[in-house]
Amino acid sequence: DAGVIQSPRHEVTEMGQEVTLRCKPISGHNSLFWYRQTMMRGLELLIYFNNNVPIDDSGMPEDRFSAKMPNASFSTLKIQPSEPRDSAVYFCASSPFGLGANTGELFFGEGSRLTVL
Amino acid sequence: KQEVTQIPAALSVPEGENLVLNCSFTDSAIYNLQWFRQDPGKGLTSLLLIQSSQREQTSGRLNASLDKSSGRSTLYIAASQPGDSATYLCAPYNNNDMRFGAGTRLTVKP
């Protein structure tokens, strides 16, 4: 299994530009999570999906952030317009189990490092 | 909202020592708890997953324990090696929400 695949691995953009981060979860996994990691705030949960449906997006910082999961094998996190304070590493993770499951081991991708100038 | 605390924030030990990393959480109604390792510039690698019905899990030199009632978990690393140097994070899981501690940055000196 290839694991969780994220792209791009690194992105440098200018303030105001649109940024799209992509994630391919492990095949067969029901749940997908987007996290953001910064030195100041550590790992923060942004949004998670179960069976392609957004379950909780309360962690999404602002309306500038949006996430979609059009099918079981693909998800995007979009920032429009981007700001310097959005600079962080964005991680995607997937889990083989669904709502309320008493397991839920999480597998992470390598992350997308975003720098907004 | 679940709050997760990890102590110590950083730890430096000589090679060969046994060590304990601590994790505490505020909401004990968890389904499981996972320990991860993160190397600089890398993603998180799952080390151990403890189900809520279990009290501990072991993998090689690693042993993790869970005390749900007191909201605590420990990760024990035996005979530490320089390759164990990394940041270790714990993450209790409940209601489809996995919150992370800030981690313990471990340095094992040769």
Side-chain angles (χ1 to χ4, degrees):
Chain A
D1 199 322
V4 177
I5 299 173
Q6 292 188 245
S7 65
R9 292 294 312 278
H10 302 274
E11 174 94 5
V12 180
T13 190
E14 293 188 346
M15 183 174 63
Q17 296 298 306
E18 177 179 296
V19 174
T20 299
L21 308 178
R22 298 172 178 80
C23 174
K24 176 178 168 46
I26 293 172
S27 178
H29 281 195
N30 295 333
S31 296
L32 183 140
F33 301 76
W34 282 100
Y35 285 88
R36 176 172 69 176
Q37 186 176 41
T38 61
M39 289 292 292
M40 290 296 295
R41 301 172 69 90
L43 268 164
E44 301 174 280
L45 177 64
L46 300 178
I47 185 171
Y48 64 85
F49 295 83
N50 182 257
N51 291 324
N52 313 336
V53 177
I55 303 301
D56 186 351
D57 64 355
S58 59
M60 297 285 262
E62 299 172 34
D63 291 345
R64 299 183 296 107
F65 286 69
S66 63
K68 294 182 180 179
M69 193 164 185
N71 57 63
S73 59
F74 184 66
S75 177
T76 60
L77 178 67
K78 186 174 293 186
I79 309 172
Q80 166 64 19
S82 58
E83 297 182 3
R85 59 191 167 124
D86 302 331
S87 297
V89 181
Y90 291 81
F91 286 104
C92 176
S94 70
S95 169
F97 299 100
L99 291 171
N102 191 23
T103 46
E105 187 172 8
L106 213 55
F107 297 85
F108 277 77
E110 289 293 307
S112 294
R113 182 176 295 275
L114 173 65
T115 302
V116 183
L117 303 174
Chain B
K1 175 182 165 182
Q2 179 80 275
E3 300 289 336
V4 185
T5 304
Q6 290 190 246
I7 295 173
L11 183 63
S12 181
V13 300
E15 181 177 6
E17 273 204 9
N18 302 324
L19 54 99
V20 174
L21 308 182
N22 297 293
C23 170
S24 61
F25 47 94
T26 55
D27 184 353
S28 62
I30 63 171
Y31 289 125
N32 61 47
L33 183 142
Q34 203 166 348
W35 281 92
F36 293 87
R37 167 187 174 138
Q38 186 175 29
D39 292 286
K42 300 291 187 181
L44 280 71
T45 300
S46 178
L47 297 174
L48 289 165
L49 171 68
I50 311 175
Q51 303 292 348
S52 60
S53 58
Q54 299 173 321
R55 294 195 66 84
E56 66 179 290
Q57 276 284 357
T58 298
S59 176
R61 294 181 293 107
L62 304 180
N63 176 275
S65 67
L66 174 63
D67 184 344
K68 273 183 57 177
S69 60
S70 67
R72 294 181 182 179
S73 178
T74 60
L75 179 66
Y76 175 83
I77 302 177
S80 58
Q81 302 171 357
D84 295 331
S85 298
T87 297
Y88 292 81
L89 301 105
C90 74
Y93 173 73
N94 58 343
N95 296 325
N96 294 289
D97 189 3
M98 180 171 270
R99 300 281 169 173
F100 285 80
T104 294
R105 188 170 66 252
L106 173 66
T107 302
V108 182
K109 297 172 288 186

PDB file of all heavy atoms in Angstrom, chain B residues 44-69:
ATOM      1  N   LEU B  44       3.702  12.002  10.563  1.00  0.00           N
ATOM      2  CA  LEU B  44       3.592  11.255  11.808  1.00  0.00           C
ATOM      3  C   LEU B  44       3.529   9.764  11.504  1.00  0.00           C
ATOM      4  O   LEU B  44       2.777   9.346  10.617  1.00  0.00           O
ATOM      5  CB  LEU B  44       2.350  11.673  12.582  1.00  0.00           C
ATOM      6  CG  LEU B  44       2.432  12.960  13.390  1.00  0.00           C
ATOM      7  CD1 LEU B  44       2.460  14.184  12.492  1.00  0.00           C
ATOM      8  CD2 LEU B  44       1.277  13.041  14.375  1.00  0.00           C
ATOM      9  N   THR B  45       4.270   9.003  12.274  1.00  0.00           N
ATOM     10  CA  THR B  45       4.270   7.554  12.133  1.00  0.00           C
ATOM     11  C   THR B  45       3.615   6.948  13.360  1.00  0.00           C
ATOM     12  O   THR B  45       4.013   7.238  14.490  1.00  0.00           O
ATOM     13  CB  THR B  45       5.707   7.021  12.003  1.00  0.00           C
ATOM     14  OG1 THR B  45       6.318   7.613  10.846  1.00  0.00           O
ATOM     15  CG2 THR B  45       5.702   5.509  11.855  1.00  0.00           C
ATOM     16  N   SER B  46       2.617   6.107  13.141  1.00  0.00           N
ATOM     17  CA  SER B  46       1.932   5.472  14.257  1.00  0.00           C
ATOM     18  C   SER B  46       2.841   4.451  14.925  1.00  0.00           C
ATOM     19  O   SER B  46       3.468   3.622  14.259  1.00  0.00           O
ATOM     20  CB  SER B  46       0.661   4.782  13.752  1.00  0.00           C
ATOM     21  OG  SER B  46       0.005   4.118  14.812  1.00  0.00           O
ATOM     22  N   LEU B  47       2.913   4.523  16.253  1.00  0.00           N
ATOM     23  CA  LEU B  47       3.732   3.582  17.025  1.00  0.00           C
ATOM     24  C   LEU B  47       2.864   2.519  17.684  1.00  0.00           C
ATOM     25  O   LEU B  47       3.120   1.327  17.548  1.00  0.00           O
ATOM     26  CB  LEU B  47       4.524   4.338  18.095  1.00  0.00           C
ATOM     27  CG  LEU B  47       5.545   5.349  17.605  1.00  0.00           C
ATOM     28  CD1 LEU B  47       6.128   6.112  18.792  1.00  0.00           C
ATOM     29  CD2 LEU B  47       6.651   4.665  16.819  1.00  0.00           C
ATOM     30  N   LEU B  48       1.879   2.973  18.423  1.00  0.00           N
ATOM     31  CA  LEU B  48       1.029   2.060  19.178  1.00  0.00           C
ATOM     32  C   LEU B  48      -0.374   2.624  19.245  1.00  0.00           C
ATOM     33  O   LEU B  48      -0.567   3.834  19.364  1.00  0.00           O
ATOM     34  CB  LEU B  48       1.571   1.870  20.610  1.00  0.00           C
ATOM     35  CG  LEU B  48       2.857   1.073  20.757  1.00  0.00           C
ATOM     36  CD1 LEU B  48       3.459   1.293  22.141  1.00  0.00           C
ATOM     37  CD2 LEU B  48       2.603  -0.411  20.526  1.00  0.00           C
ATOM     38  N   LEU B  49      -1.345   1.725  19.200  1.00  0.00           N
ATOM     39  CA  LEU B  49      -2.747   2.084  19.368  1.00  0.00           C
ATOM     40  C   LEU B  49      -3.294   1.263  20.522  1.00  0.00           C
ATOM     41  O   LEU B  49      -3.204   0.025  20.505  1.00  0.00           O
ATOM     42  CB  LEU B  49      -3.531   1.774  18.092  1.00  0.00           C
ATOM     43  CG  LEU B  49      -5.056   1.893  18.160  1.00  0.00           C
ATOM     44  CD1 LEU B  49      -5.453   3.347  18.334  1.00  0.00           C
ATOM     45  CD2 LEU B  49      -5.707   1.308  16.923  1.00  0.00           C
ATOM     46  N   ILE B  50      -3.833   1.937  21.530  1.00  0.00           N
ATOM     47  CA  ILE B  50      -4.418   1.244  22.669  1.00  0.00           C
ATOM     48  C   ILE B  50      -5.922   1.452  22.638  1.00  0.00           C
ATOM     49  O   ILE B  50      -6.397   2.597  22.674  1.00  0.00           O
ATOM     50  CB  ILE B  50      -3.887   1.790  24.009  1.00  0.00           C
ATOM     51  CG1 ILE B  50      -2.377   1.893  24.007  1.00  0.00           C
ATOM     52  CG2 ILE B  50      -4.342   0.897  25.163  1.00  0.00           C
ATOM     53  CD1 ILE B  50      -1.847   2.531  25.273  1.00  0.00           C
ATOM     54  N   GLN B  51      -6.672   0.366  22.571  1.00  0.00           N
ATOM     55  CA  GLN B  51      -8.122   0.464  22.616  1.00  0.00           C
ATOM     56  C   GLN B  51      -8.559   0.812  24.028  1.00  0.00           C
ATOM     57  O   GLN B  51      -7.858   0.538  24.996  1.00  0.00           O
ATOM     58  CB  GLN B  51      -8.751  -0.861  22.171  1.00  0.00           C
ATOM     59  CG  GLN B  51      -8.337  -1.338  20.795  1.00  0.00           C
ATOM     60  CD  GLN B  51      -8.864  -0.447  19.694  1.00  0.00           C
ATOM     61  OE1 GLN B  51      -9.706   0.403  19.922  1.00  0.00           O
ATOM     62  NE2 GLN B  51      -8.359  -0.629  18.494  1.00  0.00           N
ATOM     63  N   SER B  52      -9.773   1.366  24.142  1.00  0.00           N
ATOM     64  CA  SER B  52     -10.268   1.788  25.460  1.00  0.00           C
ATOM     65  C   SER B  52     -10.420   0.619  26.416  1.00  0.00           C
ATOM     66  O   SER B  52     -10.380   0.793  27.637  1.00  0.00           O
ATOM     67  CB  SER B  52     -11.610   2.504  25.306  1.00  0.00           C
ATOM     68  OG  SER B  52     -12.554   1.632  24.723  1.00  0.00           O
ATOM     69  N   SER B  53     -10.603  -0.588  25.891  1.00  0.00           N
ATOM     70  CA  SER B  53     -10.770  -1.772  26.728  1.00  0.00           C
ATOM     71  C   SER B  53      -9.433  -2.368  27.169  1.00  0.00           C
ATOM     72  O   SER B  53      -9.400  -3.298  27.972  1.00  0.00           O
ATOM     73  CB  SER B  53     -11.570  -2.833  25.971  1.00  0.00           C
ATOM     74  OG  SER B  53     -10.903  -3.171  24.768  1.00  0.00           O
ATOM     75  N   GLN B  54      -8.341  -1.847  26.615  1.00  0.00           N
ATOM     76  CA  GLN B  54      -7.019  -2.376  26.939  1.00  0.00           C
ATOM     77  C   GLN B  54      -6.320  -1.477  27.941  1.00  0.00           C
ATOM     78  O   GLN B  54      -6.636  -0.291  28.069  1.00  0.00           O
ATOM     79  CB  GLN B  54      -6.167  -2.470  25.665  1.00  0.00           C
ATOM     80  CG  GLN B  54      -6.757  -3.400  24.607  1.00  0.00           C
ATOM     81  CD  GLN B  54      -5.995  -3.344  23.305  1.00  0.00           C
ATOM     82  OE1 GLN B  54      -5.563  -2.266  22.881  1.00  0.00           O
ATOM     83  NE2 GLN B  54      -5.802  -4.494  22.671  1.00  0.00           N
ATOM     84  N   ARG B  55      -5.345  -2.042  28.599  1.00  0.00           N
ATOM     85  CA  ARG B  55      -4.568  -1.248  29.552  1.00  0.00           C
ATOM     86  C   ARG B  55      -3.159  -0.974  29.037  1.00  0.00           C
ATOM     87  O   ARG B  55      -2.506  -0.034  29.503  1.00  0.00           O
ATOM     88  CB  ARG B  55      -4.511  -1.961  30.882  1.00  0.00           C
ATOM     89  CG  ARG B  55      -5.854  -2.072  31.575  1.00  0.00           C
ATOM     90  CD  ARG B  55      -5.711  -2.457  33.032  1.00  0.00           C
ATOM     91  NE  ARG B  55      -5.058  -1.420  33.820  1.00  0.00           N
ATOM     92  CZ  ARG B  55      -5.710  -0.385  34.338  1.00  0.00           C
ATOM     93  NH1 ARG B  55      -6.996  -0.224  34.140  1.00  0.00           N
ATOM     94  NH2 ARG B  55      -5.061   0.503  35.073  1.00  0.00           N
ATOM     95  N   GLU B  56      -2.704  -1.808  28.102  1.00  0.00           N
ATOM     96  CA  GLU B  56      -1.386  -1.546  27.543  1.00  0.00           C
ATOM     97  C   GLU B  56      -1.202  -2.256  26.220  1.00  0.00           C
ATOM     98  O   GLU B  56      -1.944  -3.191  25.877  1.00  0.00           O
ATOM     99  CB  GLU B  56      -0.287  -1.948  28.522  1.00  0.00           C
ATOM    100  CG  GLU B  56      -0.187  -3.421  28.820  1.00  0.00           C
ATOM    101  CD  GLU B  56       0.977  -3.692  29.788  1.00  0.00           C
ATOM    102  OE1 GLU B  56       2.136  -3.552  29.369  1.00  0.00           O
ATOM    103  OE2 GLU B  56       0.702  -4.048  30.939  1.00  0.00           O
ATOM    104  N   GLN B  57      -0.189  -1.765  25.479  1.00  0.00           N
ATOM    105  CA  GLN B  57       0.210  -2.371  24.217  1.00  0.00           C
ATOM    106  C   GLN B  57       1.730  -2.326  24.146  1.00  0.00           C
ATOM    107  O   GLN B  57       2.357  -1.396  24.637  1.00  0.00           O
ATOM    108  CB  GLN B  57      -0.368  -1.601  23.027  1.00  0.00           C
ATOM    109  CG  GLN B  57      -1.775  -1.964  22.645  1.00  0.00           C
ATOM    110  CD  GLN B  57      -1.874  -3.274  21.910  1.00  0.00           C
ATOM    111  OE1 GLN B  57      -0.872  -3.925  21.615  1.00  0.00           O
ATOM    112  NE2 GLN B  57      -3.094  -3.690  21.625  1.00  0.00           N
ATOM    113  N   THR B  58       2.279  -3.352  23.501  1.00  0.00           N
ATOM    114  CA  THR B  58       3.733  -3.440  23.399  1.00  0.00           C
ATOM    115  C   THR B  58       4.141  -3.678  21.960  1.00  0.00           C
ATOM    116  O   THR B  58       3.477  -4.420  21.228  1.00  0.00           O
ATOM    117  CB  THR B  58       4.270  -4.588  24.277  1.00  0.00           C
ATOM    118  OG1 THR B  58       3.949  -4.312  25.644  1.00  0.00           O
ATOM    119  CG2 THR B  58       5.774  -4.722  24.140  1.00  0.00           C
ATOM    120  N   SER B  59       5.232  -3.026  21.576  1.00  0.00           N
ATOM    121  CA  SER B  59       5.822  -3.256  20.258  1.00  0.00           C
ATOM    122  C   SER B  59       7.329  -3.086  20.405  1.00  0.00           C
ATOM    123  O   SER B  59       7.825  -1.974  20.566  1.00  0.00           O
ATOM    124  CB  SER B  59       5.281  -2.268  19.238  1.00  0.00           C
ATOM    125  OG  SER B  59       5.918  -2.442  17.984  1.00  0.00           O
ATOM    126  N   GLY B  60       8.024  -4.209  20.374  1.00  0.00           N
ATOM    127  CA  GLY B  60       9.474  -4.159  20.507  1.00  0.00           C
ATOM    128  C   GLY B  60       9.889  -3.536  21.821  1.00  0.00           C
ATOM    129  O   GLY B  60       9.494  -3.996  22.900  1.00  0.00           O
ATOM    130  N   ARG B  61      10.670  -2.465  21.751  1.00  0.00           N
ATOM    131  CA  ARG B  61      11.145  -1.804  22.966  1.00  0.00           C
ATOM    132  C   ARG B  61      10.152  -0.777  23.512  1.00  0.00           C
ATOM    133  O   ARG B  61      10.440  -0.102  24.506  1.00  0.00           O
ATOM    134  CB  ARG B  61      12.476  -1.105  22.662  1.00  0.00           C
ATOM    135  CG  ARG B  61      13.625  -2.055  22.325  1.00  0.00           C
ATOM    136  CD  ARG B  61      14.934  -1.305  22.060  1.00  0.00           C
ATOM    137  NE  ARG B  61      14.878  -0.493  20.849  1.00  0.00           N
ATOM    138  CZ  ARG B  61      14.789   0.837  20.867  1.00  0.00           C
ATOM    139  NH1 ARG B  61      14.770   1.507  22.007  1.00  0.00           N
ATOM    140  NH2 ARG B  61      14.757   1.503  19.716  1.00  0.00           N
ATOM    141  N   LEU B  62       9.016  -0.667  22.877  1.00  0.00           N
ATOM    142  CA  LEU B  62       8.014   0.320  23.286  1.00  0.00           C
ATOM    143  C   LEU B  62       6.876  -0.361  24.029  1.00  0.00           C
ATOM    144  O   LEU B  62       6.412  -1.428  23.628  1.00  0.00           O
ATOM    145  CB  LEU B  62       7.450   1.047  22.069  1.00  0.00           C
ATOM    146  CG  LEU B  62       8.431   1.739  21.142  1.00  0.00           C
ATOM    147  CD1 LEU B  62       7.686   2.408  20.000  1.00  0.00           C
ATOM    148  CD2 LEU B  62       9.280   2.756  21.886  1.00  0.00           C
ATOM    149  N   ASN B  63       6.440   0.299  25.095  1.00  0.00           N
ATOM    150  CA  ASN B  63       5.267  -0.162  25.825  1.00  0.00           C
ATOM    151  C   ASN B  63       4.437   1.054  26.191  1.00  0.00           C
ATOM    152  O   ASN B  63       4.951   2.011  26.788  1.00  0.00           O
ATOM    153  CB  ASN B  63       5.671  -0.925  27.090  1.00  0.00           C
ATOM    154  CG  ASN B  63       4.477  -1.338  27.932  1.00  0.00           C
ATOM    155  OD1 ASN B  63       3.994  -0.556  28.744  1.00  0.00           O
ATOM    156  ND2 ASN B  63       3.988  -2.533  27.726  1.00  0.00           N
ATOM    157  N   ALA B  64       3.166   1.013  25.824  1.00  0.00           N
ATOM    158  CA  ALA B  64       2.275   2.127  26.167  1.00  0.00           C
ATOM    159  C   ALA B  64       1.184   1.619  27.088  1.00  0.00           C
ATOM    160  O   ALA B  64       0.636   0.532  26.872  1.00  0.00           O
ATOM    161  CB  ALA B  64       1.661   2.719  24.904  1.00  0.00           C
ATOM    162  N   SER B  65       0.885   2.394  28.107  1.00  0.00           N
ATOM    163  CA  SER B  65      -0.180   2.048  29.034  1.00  0.00           C
ATOM    164  C   SER B  65      -1.265   3.108  28.986  1.00  0.00           C
ATOM    165  O   SER B  65      -1.014   4.256  28.599  1.00  0.00           O
ATOM    166  CB  SER B  65       0.367   1.926  30.459  1.00  0.00           C
ATOM    167  OG  SER B  65       0.793   3.202  30.913  1.00  0.00           O
ATOM    168  N   LEU B  66      -2.459   2.711  29.380  1.00  0.00           N
ATOM    169  CA  LEU B  66      -3.596   3.624  29.370  1.00  0.00           C
ATOM    170  C   LEU B  66      -4.413   3.453  30.640  1.00  0.00           C
ATOM    171  O   LEU B  66      -4.779   2.330  31.002  1.00  0.00           O
ATOM    172  CB  LEU B  66      -4.492   3.344  28.156  1.00  0.00           C
ATOM    173  CG  LEU B  66      -5.802   4.127  28.073  1.00  0.00           C
ATOM    174  CD1 LEU B  66      -5.536   5.624  27.939  1.00  0.00           C
ATOM    175  CD2 LEU B  66      -6.652   3.629  26.920  1.00  0.00           C
ATOM    176  N   ASP B  67      -4.677   4.559  31.321  1.00  0.00           N
ATOM    177  CA  ASP B  67      -5.567   4.586  32.470  1.00  0.00           C
ATOM    178  C   ASP B  67      -6.648   5.610  32.157  1.00  0.00           C
ATOM    179  O   ASP B  67      -6.473   6.814  32.388  1.00  0.00           O
ATOM    180  CB  ASP B  67      -4.800   4.960  33.739  1.00  0.00           C
ATOM    181  CG  ASP B  67      -5.689   4.902  34.983  1.00  0.00           C
ATOM    182  OD1 ASP B  67      -6.917   4.869  34.834  1.00  0.00           O
ATOM    183  OD2 ASP B  67      -5.143   4.888  36.094  1.00  0.00           O
ATOM    184  N   LYS B  68      -7.748   5.120  31.604  1.00  0.00           N
ATOM    185  CA  LYS B  68      -8.812   6.024  31.168  1.00  0.00           C
ATOM    186  C   LYS B  68      -9.396   6.821  32.317  1.00  0.00           C
ATOM    187  O   LYS B  68      -9.652   8.017  32.186  1.00  0.00           O
ATOM    188  CB  LYS B  68      -9.933   5.215  30.500  1.00  0.00           C
ATOM    189  CG  LYS B  68      -9.767   4.966  29.040  1.00  0.00           C
ATOM    190  CD  LYS B  68     -10.959   4.235  28.457  1.00  0.00           C
ATOM    191  CE  LYS B  68     -12.255   4.991  28.708  1.00  0.00           C
ATOM    192  NZ  LYS B  68     -13.406   4.318  28.082  1.00  0.00           N
ATOM    193  N   SER B  69      -9.604   6.163  33.444  1.00  0.00           N
ATOM    194  CA  SER B  69     -10.296   6.819  34.555  1.00  0.00           C
ATOM    195  C   SER B  69      -9.538   8.030  35.063  1.00  0.00           C
ATOM    196  O   SER B  69     -10.140   9.023  35.496  1.00  0.00           O
ATOM    197  CB  SER B  69     -10.538   5.831  35.686  1.00  0.00           C
ATOM    198  OG  SER B  69      -9.307   5.312  36.156  1.00  0.00           O
TER     199      SER B  69
END
